[in-house]
Amino acid sequence: MAASSHLMVTLPNLKLIMGLFFCVFGIAFAQLQPVTFYDLRCPGALVIIKKSISLAVLRDRRMGASLLRLHFHDCFVQGCDASVLLKDTLNFTGEQNAFPNMNSLRGFDVIDNIKNKLEILCPGVFSCADILAVAAKESVVALGGLGWQVSLGRRDSTTASLRGANSDLPGPFLDLGGLISGFAKKGFTAQEMVALSGAHTIGKGRCRFYRTRIYSESNIDPSFSKSLKGKCPKSGGDDNFASLDNSTSVDFFDSGYYKSLVNKKGLFHSDQQLFNGGFTKYQVLSYTIDSTLFQNDFARAMEKMGKLSPLTGTKGQIRKQCSRVN
């Protein structure tokens, strides 16, 4: 009886502590609207987005990874508010020239094309932030991955944070501890961090982000590092690409990324940290055995990420053009 009474007291306290933690770091996972949010206000909008993404990925398979990354880089900097889409002007500094984003973010034209179509269909109704969220899901589906429930009702920011983009986006040089703490600051567990890292099963990385790994690290397959040195010399070739998933097709959303890690073929230092003696190695191994487990965990984590500190109600605005405030 005493143990039960103690449990009843401490569980609310635990919730309070977690709530205080999220408040300290400015984290809010909002209650958004159901997927039917635009059914009456902008009927057919989701079909337009799906068709546009399917066509874009058909033309350029790498675009799926780019659009998924665009959503991630949006949500991790002041929330899922489309701030990443705002371009620099003489009087405004956006996030696109932050170190993790400079000359590497892609897909703006795809988002702009979708926005233009929706502005014709239902002017001033469908937010750019919601377009990014739906586009990320449809990109994964177009590449053979499992979809997830995308809640809607986000509004667009009138601000951006260059400082936040430089500080809050987990980088390719982080150790395991840095990855865990970086995701924890956004309200994610280590398990969710490992699952979200699986986004690297599609897409490519630049030489400047993996050069140190292939020339200076020992926890790498020798034949793998040798093959990469041809693409990434010690000097020059900073923008030469290599696949993030070296076990299966980089154009297919599967669990091949984790097999690469087990084989010591993680492209970035941060990738290989997930399978380098730390406790996350067990989760990595489980994903190599059960791809469905990975797909389900990734979908749940993405659904959660899409609710990260969005603007709702009367906050923000619905931009007429995604690249600038009204």
Side-chain angles (χ1 to χ4, degrees):
M1 180 66 71
S4 298
S5 299
H6 179 69
L7 183 62
M8 291 175 66
V9 171
T10 57
L11 279 177
N13 289 342
L14 178 60
K15 291 179 180 179
L16 176 61
I17 291 170
M18 292 302 290
L20 289 173
F21 174 83
F22 291 151
C23 287
V24 167
F25 287 107
I27 299 167
F29 290 99
Q31 184 66 42
L32 291 167
Q33 301 301 316
V35 71
T36 56
F37 180 66
Y38 290 106
D39 282 2
L40 295 178
R41 305 170 68 227
C42 195
L46 296 180
V47 174
I48 287 175
I49 298 176
K50 184 178 184 66
K51 288 182 177 179
S52 298
I53 296 301
S54 297
L55 181 59
V57 173
L58 182 63
R59 290 172 174 168
D60 176 7
R61 299 287 286 181
R62 184 173 157 238
M63 185 56 69
S66 297
L67 292 170
L68 178 59
R69 183 170 182 253
L70 204 55
H71 180 47
F72 174 79
H73 281 226
D74 179 40
C75 291
F76 260 57
V77 181
Q78 70 178 35
C80 305
D81 61 359
S83 59
V84 74
L85 301 179
L86 293 172
K87 293 182 178 179
D88 287 2
T89 68
L90 291 175
N91 302 312
F92 182 87
T93 301
E95 299 163 10
Q96 294 178 18
N97 284 313
F99 179 72
N101 296 337
M102 188 182 299
N103 299 322
S104 67
L105 289 181
R106 301 171 70 239
F108 298 110
D109 55 336
V110 176
I111 300 300
D112 287 343
N113 179 51
I114 292 171
K115 179 61 174 176
N116 291 338
K117 291 178 180 178
L118 296 184
E119 281 298 301
I120 294 173
L121 177 67
C122 47
V125 172
F126 209 111
S127 71
C128 300
D130 275 348
I131 293 174
L132 280 176
V134 177
K137 187 261 287 190
E138 294 299 347
S139 293
V140 170
V141 171
L143 292 173
L146 182 69
W148 57 90
Q149 189 83 1
V150 179
S151 299
L152 300 170
R154 301 167 191 79
R155 289 169 64 83
D156 302 323
S157 69
T158 57
T159 63
S161 177
L162 181 67
R163 176 179 294 181
N166 278 319
S167 64
D168 290 1
L169 292 168
F173 308 112
L174 288 178
D175 291 332
L176 181 59
L179 289 169
I180 292 172
S181 63
F183 277 80
K185 287 178 182 178
K186 299 299 178 180
F188 294 96
T189 65
Q191 290 73 27
E192 289 168 333
M193 178 273 291
V194 175
L196 288 171
S197 296
H200 282 187
T201 195
I202 52 177
K204 299 182 177 183
R206 295 173 186 265
C207 167
R208 60 181 168 139
F209 294 130
Y210 65 83
R211 177 182 285 117
T212 301
R213 171 154 168 74
I214 63 175
Y215 285 101
S216 303
E217 298 187 6
S218 59
N219 60 341
I220 186 169
D221 179 83
S223 62
F224 176 59
S225 61
K226 182 179 180 180
S227 68
L228 289 174
K229 288 173 183 177
K231 303 176 182 178
C232 184
K234 287 187 176 181
S235 62
D238 283 4
D239 293 330
N240 292 345
F241 287 107
S243 297
L244 287 162
D245 178 354
N246 295 281
S247 293
T248 56
S249 172
V250 73
D251 294 331
F252 191 73
F253 196 91
D254 57 18
S255 60
Y257 164 77
Y258 300 100
K259 296 176 182 177
S260 295
L261 303 186
V262 172
N263 293 325
K264 296 185 178 181
K265 294 182 179 180
L267 185 65
F268 295 150
H269 174 83
S270 58
D271 290 325
Q272 196 60 53
Q273 286 292 294
L274 303 182
F275 194 81
N276 193 42
F279 70 95
T280 55
K281 68 179 181 181
Y282 301 108
Q283 188 175 349
V284 170
L285 284 171
S286 70
Y287 288 161
T288 66
I289 298 169
D290 190 347
S291 181
T292 301
L293 175 64
F294 158 62
Q295 297 269 8
N296 286 325
D297 285 354
F298 181 82
R300 279 191 292 269
M302 285 299 299
E303 186 174 348
K304 178 178 176 178
M305 189 183 79
K307 298 176 182 179
L308 183 56
S309 302
L311 299 173
T312 57
T314 58
K315 296 178 181 179
Q317 62 181 208
I318 306 297
R319 292 186 211 139
K320 297 176 182 178
Q321 295 182 39
C322 291
S323 61
R324 66 184 188 184
V325 298
N326 295 341

